[in-house]
Amino acid sequence: MHTDVVRQGRLRGDRDGSIEDLLSSMTADREIAEADIEVDIAHLLMLVSCGILTSDHASPLIRELLFYYKNGVPKEAFHPRFEDIHAGIESLLIEKVGMDTGGRMHAGRSRNDEVATCLRIKTREILLDQIEALIDLRTVLVDTASEHVHSIMPGFTHLQHAQPTTLAHYLLAYEEVFSRDNERLYQAFLRTNRSPLGAAAFATTGFPIDRGYTARLLGFESISCNTMDAVASRDFAAESLAAATILMTHISRLCEELVIWSTSFVRFVDLDDRYCSTSSIMPQKKNPDVAEILRSRAGSVLGALVSAVSIEKSLPLSYNRDLQELSPHLFREIIPVSRDIRLVSGMIASAGFHTDRMREEAERGFSTATDLADHLVVNYGLAFRAAHNIVGRAIRSGSLSLEALDDASCQLTGRKLSEQGLSGDELSRVLEVNQSVAARRHPGGPAPAAVLDAVLHRKSVIGKDTAMIQEQKERIMVAKEELMDTAERMVGS
Ligand code: ARG
């Protein structure tokens, strides 16, 4: 049975299962085990390069760590007898190579900076994966939009038919939403990508370490400078969860619409069977379960955010063990987000949109009444409010016929619009949905010309975002390769 080498100096007595259970962070530590190997290797390389450790002492440790890296951390390292994976790995190493060598690894650091570094390595990787998934989703939205530039659909406010728009305009709205989520995730990534290593317990160390070197070896952009802050702060976790919560809120809204759109009374969309379930009793049922679960996920992610900030609030500087309780909330909720995003992409890409139904609904509910009011302003000299009133009164009477408009206009101005030249043909033209959409060609509007401009613009934004994220991924990948190559060279394999 391996003993916990961290505990054995100062403390005595076996702990019973419930204490071990409470104190151990092993469940969440499974997520950072690989990062911990990288951190151990980087720390050892730095100790050697700074003359704190000989390569004779470092090599057996690095050799063992490289073995873990290739074959996975041995499962004994995860036993709850160790408070965490850091103690587990160190204990196993000491057992393997002896105290005189293994016991040298932890010089000049603490588990406090070690865990903060591991958490940041794992979190930045998750953030980059989320951003990649989001870029794919945005691409699906733009591509689908470009197929539906002329697909007229009703736009809603208050979930009431409002004005005609196009499916392309709707899809591009979500692309812009997700592009802001992309920015938020990227900002969270930039602030996460700073190395706490070398902060030690909180006051750094008297050993002549090199924080910049370990930061570079681990592919960080810079160090998280103040050493108290470096071990005490988890705002990178809160920020990542906040960005995920906002993103999942958007996914929830989109999924809510897919649920509504797939009802038989709306029937705007047919979701692919893969994304649906049936009923165990009602054989006819096709339920949009994936969209429903995704709609609910925003609540779970928000729960994790609330837990994280509630745990961090009121903690005095610097490290407190409470912080350990935060990590499971972080990973539990940010890890599945990339999967969620990819499911939305698949659902949209495979959906069948009923553009005939959309068009039918776009013509309902006097959806072009605003066009008529505007027309009366431009061509008949009315104030907008007067025109709004005339059209509103006519609708109240049940129709937008020339007679109804004449009646309303007589009541309000004492004059009939037909006497001023308004004809039935002109009225039909103004109320026609295609012209209504075509007229709205300001930047960001639904007119086909504006939408085609937007498609081009969004594609170029997506292109830039892709390049940025590929560069960051590449940097981290290269650093990891170099770290392992340097380690291999030291052990001479
Ligand atoms: N498992 C701990 C955590 O997640 C690692 C740091 C332990 N530090 C300590 N002083 N006990 O926070």
Side-chain angles (χ1 to χ4, degrees), residues 6 23-26 28-29 32 83-86 110-116 119 201 234 319-328:
V6 176
L23 287 180
S24 174
S25 56
M26 283 305 182
D29 285 0
I32 55 168
E83 288 190 3
D84 48 40
I85 191 61
H86 322 295
S110 150
R111 282 182 295 171
N112 299 353
D113 59 340
E114 190 178 352
V115 71
L119 293 173
R234 294 290 184 272
Y319 178 82
N320 298 270
R321 194 66 182 274
D322 313 45
L323 290 174
Q324 173 174 298
E325 184 72 7
L326 188 153
S327 312

Side-chain angles (χ1 to χ4, degrees), residues 376 379-382 386 390 393 402-422:
L376 298 181
N379 297 283
Y380 296 89
L382 288 173
I390 290 170
R393 278 173 193 239
L402 193 52
E403 297 71 46
L405 283 165
D406 271 346
D407 280 355
S409 131
C410 258
Q411 285 168 22
L412 229 96
T413 66
R415 293 187 64 193
K416 289 185 174 181
L417 285 161
S418 58
E419 281 167 7
Q420 295 163 65
L422 180 67

